[in-house]
């Protein structure tokens, strides 16, 4: 197991919304996990195989896209693009959560087919990391006829998520409720579409319906892409304890409203950030970075908190070990900084200015998957392997 030492970190963002910035400049990685976080003098460095010099740039956990719609492999029939997940890795995203493989041409709607697709996608992405990205695939789309035994079989087959309720044949809370109960019993996280009809075939879902169905996540509270009213967003934020998702391919005005409400209500631990791509809006490799910059610059969200919304919060929501810089966590890490030419001097100031960062090295499970992002501007300070 290779040991890596990371030195000269200028700014350490933890991904933990309770303590989003850490006062440390050195990390020790032991194989796939973070073994130590501290000050240079305190972190023993005998017998490391590799040193990464951050040269004063920031280090954050790898971002988690809480909402993507893959099918199989690194291809999306929705926008006929190859390599869209690998391209998102270059935006600092090291984990993607499927919200349902709804774009499969001829997607089956009978219980046997629904179950087969979810298990196939879960297993396929379990063994395939596009560009290094961990994809939590196989989000079952609820269709009439699914039984408790089906949820047990899917959970045993690696299915961890119920894809957006509302995209399949089960739309009403009364119909969804028993299936949601079975899914939760078997450890799954339950997502529900909220807002206007996204594409022909899906439906309009209100805040009241999301809460009545018992979902864990109100997907794209800012619209996917058409938003509900500000009052309904406030209902989800203030009168529930479920996760509040804000996405790139939604309504930007309502993204600001949802974020401001979450800050005002002290609901910082419940906001998560997704792309909701591929969609009709397109495929957006820098989508998560753009939402962070949007919320920081226009809704006055603390930038380190916004990064936690795109890392640790999403990991907690989906019961994943990554998304934090902490001893024992997987070493999924992004070296980044203010982009060249930004009026902001460091990562946090660049986000406050509305800029997206420059990304240099990206690690997944302690392995370098990107040495310099091809999709972001160059960083003012970039990390190098010594
Ligand atoms: Zn949706």
């Amino acid at each position: 197991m290779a040991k890596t030492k990371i030195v000269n970190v200028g700014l350490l963002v933890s991904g933990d919304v309770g303590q989003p910035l850490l006062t440390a400049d050195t990390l020790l990685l032991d194989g796939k996990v973070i073994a130590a976080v501290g000050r240079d003098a305190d972190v023993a460095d005998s017998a490391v195989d590799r040193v990464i010099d951050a040269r004063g740039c920031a280090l954050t956990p790898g971002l988690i896209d809480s909402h993507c719609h893959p099918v199989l492999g690194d291809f999306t029939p929705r926008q006929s693009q190859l390599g869209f997940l690998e391209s998102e890795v270059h935006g600092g995203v090291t984990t993607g959560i499927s919200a349902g493989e709804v774009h499969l041409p001829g997607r089956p709607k009978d219980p046997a087919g629904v179950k087969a697709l979810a298990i196939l996608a879960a297993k396929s992405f379990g063994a395939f990391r596009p560009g290094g990205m961990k994809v939590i695939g196989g989000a079952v789309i609820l269709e009439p006829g699914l039984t408790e035994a089906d949820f047990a079989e899917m959970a045993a087959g690696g299915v961890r998520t119920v894809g957006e309720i509302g995209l399949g044949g089960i739309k009403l809370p009364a119909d969804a409720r028993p299936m949601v109960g079975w899914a939760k019993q078997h450890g799954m996280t339950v997502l529900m579409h909220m807002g206007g009809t996204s594409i022909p075939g899906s439906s309009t879902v209100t805040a009241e319906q999301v809460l009545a169905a018992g979902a864990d996540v109100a997907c794209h509270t800012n619209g996917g892409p058409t938003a509900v009213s500000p009052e309904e967003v406030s209902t989800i934020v203030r009168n529930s304890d479920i996760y509040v998702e804000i996405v790139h391919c939604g309504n930007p005005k309502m993204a600001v409203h949802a974020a401001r409400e979450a800050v005002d209500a002290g609901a910082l631990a419940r906001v998560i950030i997704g792309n909701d791509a591929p969609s009709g809006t397109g495929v957006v490799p820098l989508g998560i970075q753009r939402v962070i910059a949007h919320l920081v610059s226009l809704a006055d969200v603390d930038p380190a908190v916004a990064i936690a919304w795109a890392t640790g919060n999403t990991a907690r929501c989906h019961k994943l070990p990554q998304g934090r810089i902490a001893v024992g966590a997987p070493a999924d890490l992004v070296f980044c900084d203010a982009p060249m030419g930004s009026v902001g001097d460091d990562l946090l100031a660049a986000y406050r200015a509305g800029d997206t960062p420059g990304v240099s090295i990206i690690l997944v499970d302690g392995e370098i998957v990107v040495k310099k992002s091809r999709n972001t501007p160059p960083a003012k300070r970039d990390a190098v392997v010594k």
Side-chain angles (χ1 to χ4, degrees), residues 202-219:
S202 69
S203 48
T204 299
V205 181
T206 65
E208 199 184 325
Q209 288 172 315
V210 171
L211 297 178
D216 295 304
V217 180
C219 287

Side-chain angles (χ1 to χ4, degrees), residues 67 69 164 167 193-194 198 219-220 224 276:
H67 194 134
H69 287 293
E164 285 180 85
L167 300 190
H193 176 96
M194 180 166 136
S198 58
C219 287
H220 44 64
D276 197 4

